[in-house]
């Protein structure tokens, strides 16, 4: 189990490194539909830190006219 945890940590680090080098916004959601990964370009885009995007807080950055549609997608 320790080896699996170490491998997971390595793969997570690799994913973060690759995603942070991409010139685009990247996010991923968990099985509940909550976003649980944002690359660093999101911080530049919203002019805030990643903590402001966790737990559904990212919705504050969506224009009010678009929020209902975004939540349904």
């Amino acid at each position: 189990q320790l080896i699996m945890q170490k491998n997971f940590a390595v793969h997570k680090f690799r994913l973060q490194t690759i995603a942070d080098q991409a010139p685009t916004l990247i996010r991923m959601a968990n099985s509940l539909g909550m976003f649980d990964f944002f690359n660093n370009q999101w911080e530049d885009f919203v002019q805030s830190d990643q903590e402001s995007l966790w737990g559904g807080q990212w919705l504050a950055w969506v224009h009010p006219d678009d929020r209902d549609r975004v939540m349904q997608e």
Side-chain angles (χ1 to χ4, degrees):
Q1 187 174 7
L2 183 60
I3 293 172
M4 288 176 48
Q5 289 175 339
K6 190 172 185 177
N7 285 340
F8 177 76
V10 168
H11 290 295
K12 185 177 178 181
F13 175 77
R14 287 179 183 167
L15 172 63
Q16 182 75 51
T17 301
I18 292 168
D20 287 341
Q21 299 303 314
T24 189
L25 302 173
I26 298 174
R27 65 184 180 200
M28 293 189 324
N30 62 23
S31 61
L32 299 175
M34 297 297 295
F35 292 113
D36 59 1
F37 176 87
F38 296 90
N39 68 343
N40 285 340
Q41 280 68 12
W42 276 96
E43 289 183 12
D44 295 336
F45 183 70
V46 299
Q47 298 293 304
S48 186
D49 59 15
Q50 289 191 17
E51 285 77 29
S52 67
L53 300 169
W54 295 108
Q57 296 179 53
W58 62 272
L59 196 56
W61 301 104
V62 175
H63 191 278
D65 293 344
D66 297 326
R67 288 183 187 153
D68 287 339
R69 179 184 54 81
V70 168
M71 287 303 294
Q72 291 175 1
E73 293 177 357

